[in-house]
Amino acid sequence: MRIPQLSSRRATTARLLTRSPSPSSAASLLPASSPLPSSASRFSSLTAPASHPSNKVQIYTSHSNDPFLNLSVEHRLLQITPPDSTVLTLYVNSPSIIFGRNQNPWLQVNLNRLTQIAQQPSRVSWTDSPIQLVRRRSGGGAVFHDAGNVNFSVICPPERFDRDKHAEMVVRALKALGRPNTRVNQRHDIVMDVASDVAPDMETYKISGSAYKLTRLRSLHHGTCLLRSPNLASISGLLRSPALGYIDARGVDSVRSPVRNIDVDNQEFKDAVVREFESMYGDVHFRGEFDDTALEVDEIRKGYQELKSKSWIWGQTPKFTFSTHPTEEDPRPRPELPFDLNIHLFARHGVIEDMSIKHSDGAAINGLDASVFHGTSVWEITNWTESLRRAGLGDGLSKEAGEWLNGVLGAEYAKMALNEM
Amino acid sequence: MASIACSLRAARPVAMRFAPRAAPMARLAMPFRSFSSTRLSLARKYTKDHEWIDLSADRKTGVIGISEYAAEQLGDVVYVELPPAGEWTDQGDSIGAVESVKSASDINAPIRCKVTHTNALLEEKPATINQVPEDDSAGGGWIVKVEVDEEGAAQFDELLDAEAYKAFTSE
């Protein structure tokens, strides 16, 4: 195969490397705001150059705001780009909560809030689009994305992986944009220091968080950057679960940090990050753009469908217990409940393996068989009142406890999510 | 597990701790005898991706974990994703993952193998991986026990012995 001439920073486009160049693909060089050519499958035309061994420095911009799509394309780039290449991808997602590979969504997210936002946005003063719930493939904690948050992602050889290297790159970009008060902290997050209104010391706010995925041949660092999120005030509540005091989970917890916008325009930020990336890695051998048509690529569609599946979002949850009362393993004191029941549930992969329902004093309940819950996926229980009644609990208790459980475990969200299928 | 290596080398020089401290390391030093005790003799080898594997004397079963070097580079392990038992995995493919410091790191099969047991202790105490990563006994940080076929056994012979692995990580 003839290796294309790739030394020029500007000259190389998808067009040069595509097997059947179409005249319209030149449009991909136009500014991001210009409409994309309606070619049949954009990402498939990128597959060849993305994997070409001589394309050692690559930059991609997404025109999709679908978090599942952006993560799936990013994952595909992790798989196909040359082992010694360094790849920058920039994307913006519509409102979504993206939680870590090994986290528990019942514990990390306020599912009721997501339901209200989807079903009665005006009642909770939500003016943005509904929030999607996404389990990513990388580690770390739960974060919120929206149109005022730009995500950067750098894929590089694992030998060169360093948690701070590309966070520092973004800090240099921010400094170049007149934000000298930004830095990388010990948790590898980007923070900004601002003078406090009340205290003599500086106050520190997180503006960017990172997560990583390491495979045998490649490493991925992706991070957020809060630029002008209109939803900052809501983030904290979205990431506070009513089940917090009742769930004891294996896996990874989130670290709560006060956040703030850095107040930079999205495009200016992207351009500045690209400039810093170029100054680190020199000539860019390939620049690509993609949009929702990337789904026409089989492997991307497969990864996308996996990320969207219930068995991934909920079923990949590390094992956990939910107990209304202190237990030996989870002795935290619990708030008093409005009903006389002690409910304990153990789930692996989000599927109930053990369930017990007794009176608060430990006495058994006549006619109740909690084992009917065994094998049921927690995310498929859309009405606990009904489920408790079916297990043989009396109407009154079923209603009281059921309504409480519906609230704590996000049954309304489960109902909404199942109806979407 | 390729990934962890080097990453922090510059930022956080690691005190190389290759002195044998756990039983398995000591076992390596033993000459291979054809008639050992009741316990099967095991040979341990390493991959450049920082996994270790003990192969049984009959070359039909093995135990897999990650090296002390890798465990040190990873930092605090907070979760270990164990693979389902019963499936054959080719050399280099993922047989689980560990999470540490916001990173999900694949563990790769050092040879072709079929997982027969997973170390349930790691579900409760993932930090065991940091404490005794090369311990293949109960209470140790081993990750899976596997069945090995002829192809896997042949691949085993090509892996690094302890000395070669030590030289590799000291580079």
Side-chain angles (χ1 to χ4, degrees):
Chain A
M1 182 190 278
R2 193 178 72 86
I3 310 259
Q5 192 50 254
L6 295 167
S7 54
S8 155
R9 218 179 248 195
R10 295 269 161 220
T12 314
T13 73
R15 194 161 45 99
L16 288 179
L17 293 165
T18 316
R19 284 198 185 123
S20 52
S22 79
S24 66
S25 59
S28 67
L29 272 187
L30 296 176
S33 54
S34 66
L36 287 168
S38 56
S39 64
S41 52
R42 271 201 78 74
F43 194 86
S44 66
S45 73
L46 299 182
T47 303
S51 57
H52 197 288
S54 61
N55 286 340
K56 298 198 189 307
V57 180
Q58 308 182 15
I59 298 178
Y60 294 87
T61 308
S62 171
H63 296 279
S64 167
N65 296 318
D66 179 347
F68 296 101
L69 180 113
N70 286 324
L71 286 171
S72 301
V73 170
E74 182 187 76
H75 186 65
R76 190 62 190 150
L77 289 170
L78 179 78
Q79 294 170 323
I80 65 170
T81 49
D84 57 348
S85 64
T86 306
V87 181
L88 172 70
T89 309
L90 295 164
Y91 53 92
V92 174
N93 289 330
S94 63
S96 41
I97 289 174
I98 320 273
F99 60 97
R101 171 74 183 84
N102 298 307
Q103 290 203 297
N104 180 323
W106 290 281
L107 181 58
Q108 299 299 332
V109 182
N110 189 333
L111 299 170
N112 297 327
R113 193 95 187 138
L114 297 199
T115 318
Q116 287 173 327
I117 282 171
Q119 295 181 340
Q120 303 165 300
S122 57
R123 273 187 66 179
V124 287
S125 314
W126 186 262
T127 52
D128 217 324
S129 48
I131 297 174
Q132 311 215 56
L133 187 60
V134 186
R135 180 191 296 276
R136 59 176 185 263
R137 298 177 196 272
S138 58
V143 291
F144 175 79
H145 291 184
D146 64 15
N149 172 79
V150 173
N151 302 291
F152 60 91
S153 139
V154 179
I155 298 167
C156 72
E159 305 86 73
R160 280 187 247 139
F161 175 73
D162 175 328
R163 288 188 179 82
D164 286 338
K165 183 156 72 177
H166 296 108
E168 296 286 6
M169 170 184 84
V170 173
V171 165
R172 285 195 297 279
L174 290 169
K175 287 188 167 159
L177 293 171
R179 301 291 183 277
N181 55 334
T182 51
R183 61 182 167 89
V184 178
N185 73 4
Q186 284 206 315
R187 286 186 41 77
H188 318 287
D189 293 330
I190 301 174
V191 294
M192 70 166 167
D193 300 306
V194 293
S196 166
D197 298 336
V198 286
D201 302 331
M202 296 289 254
E203 282 174 356
T204 299
Y205 294 91
K206 176 169 165 177
I207 56 164
S208 158
S210 286
Y212 318 90
K213 166 130 184 100
L214 304 166
T215 68
R216 194 164 64 86
L217 295 173
R218 304 292 274 156
S219 72
L220 164 79
H221 168 185
H222 54 192
T224 57
C225 198
L226 281 170
L227 302 178
R228 284 175 184 162
S229 165
N231 300 305
L232 272 198
S234 307
I235 294 180
S236 168
L238 287 166
L239 298 176
R240 187 173 276 119
S241 163
L244 182 64
Y246 303 96
I247 287 181
D248 181 28
R250 298 285 86 84
V252 176
D253 207 358
S254 299
V255 175
R256 208 163 257 287
S257 311
V259 294
R260 213 172 246 199
N261 284 317
I262 191 74
D263 191 26
V264 169
D265 173 74
N266 281 10
Q267 194 56 47
E268 281 177 28
F269 174 78
K270 289 185 200 171
D271 292 344
V273 170
V274 165
R275 278 195 296 273
E276 291 302 327
F277 181 80
E278 288 170 347
S279 75
M280 281 173 89
Y281 297 104
D283 286 347
V284 177
H285 304 140
F286 182 71
R287 287 169 207 269
E289 298 175 16
F290 61 88
D291 62 11
D292 289 334
T293 60
L295 279 180
E296 290 162 18
V297 178
D298 287 348
E299 294 86 351
I300 292 176
R301 192 174 57 248
K302 239 175 100 186
Y304 180 88
Q305 284 162 348
E306 185 187 13
L307 283 190
K308 286 198 106 170
S309 69
K310 303 277 179 283
S311 57
W312 173 263
I313 298 173
W314 306 97
Q316 286 292 315
T317 303
K319 66 181 188 175
F320 68 97
T321 60
F322 172 92
S323 329
T324 56
H325 290 66
T327 64
E328 206 172 302
E329 293 78 29
D330 180 13
R332 291 174 296 171
R334 309 290 204 274
E336 196 169 340
L337 297 174
F339 49 86
D340 170 35
L341 287 178
N342 179 339
I343 302 171
H344 175 82
L345 169 166
F346 168 73
R348 189 189 288 274
H349 303 307
V351 178
I352 298 174
E353 286 196 357
D354 188 42
M355 177 103 186
S356 82
I357 304 172
K358 295 176 291 194
H359 284 297
S360 307
D361 60 6
I365 297 166
N366 284 339
L368 175 77
D369 178 15
S371 72
V372 299
F373 282 99
H374 297 178
T376 305
S377 304
V378 178
W379 72 87
E380 285 174 348
I381 300 179
T382 55
N383 186 343
W384 281 90
T385 302
E386 285 297 311
S387 300
L388 290 171
R389 209 177 273 143
R390 270 201 299 276
L393 191 68
D395 281 356
L397 271 176
S398 288
K399 188 165 186 299
E400 286 171 344
E403 280 174 4
W404 183 80
L405 284 168
N406 285 342
V408 176
L409 290 171
E412 282 295 325
Y413 188 87
K415 193 195 267 174
M416 186 176 77
L418 278 182
N419 288 339
E420 276 171 13
M421 301 273 301
Chain B
M1 194 83 347
S3 10
I4 26 82
C6 312
S7 52
L8 302 171
R9 235 181 236 171
R12 193 186 66 140
V14 178
M16 297 284 183
R17 289 189 296 135
F18 283 100
R21 65 171 189 192
M25 293 297 276
R27 200 182 305 132
L28 265 175
M30 267 179 3
F32 220 79
R33 286 173 298 177
S34 29
F35 302 103
S36 59
S37 56
T38 47
R39 180 164 184 170
L40 289 175
S41 319
L42 295 170
R44 172 165 299 183
K45 290 210 174 187
Y46 295 82
T47 66
K48 288 187 175 178
D49 299 332
H50 310 285
E51 290 90 13
W52 55 262
I53 174 165
D54 289 343
L55 190 65
S56 64
D58 64 6
R59 297 165 66 86
K60 291 202 165 117
T61 61
V63 186
I64 294 170
I66 65 168
S67 72
E68 290 204 8
Y69 177 81
E72 199 141 6
Q73 296 282 350
L74 279 173
D76 291 342
V77 173
V78 289
Y79 188 73
V80 182
E81 186 194 328
L82 297 165
E87 278 171 37
W88 283 96
T89 306
D90 280 324
Q91 184 178 36
D93 286 354
S94 163
I95 45 162
V98 297
E99 178 161 347
S100 61
V101 203
K102 301 189 258 187
S103 314
S105 307
D106 282 351
I107 303 164
N108 309 300
I111 60 173
R112 179 177 153 77
C113 60
K114 181 169 91 177
V115 174
T116 55
H117 300 82
T118 57
N119 187 355
L121 174 71
L122 299 179
E123 285 190 312
E124 293 305 320
K125 295 188 171 133
T128 309
I129 292 240
N130 292 112
Q131 292 146 11
V132 279
E134 298 207 19
D135 185 344
D136 66 353
S137 65
W142 60 276
I143 291 165
V144 289
K145 294 188 178 172
V146 296
E147 186 183 322
V148 179
D149 62 7
E150 273 180 33
E151 187 184 344
Q155 289 164 342
F156 177 85
D157 297 333
E158 304 300 315
L159 299 180
L160 306 173
D161 61 21
E163 205 175 319
Y165 177 70
K166 183 179 169 181
F168 169 70
T169 51
S170 310
E171 267 168 22

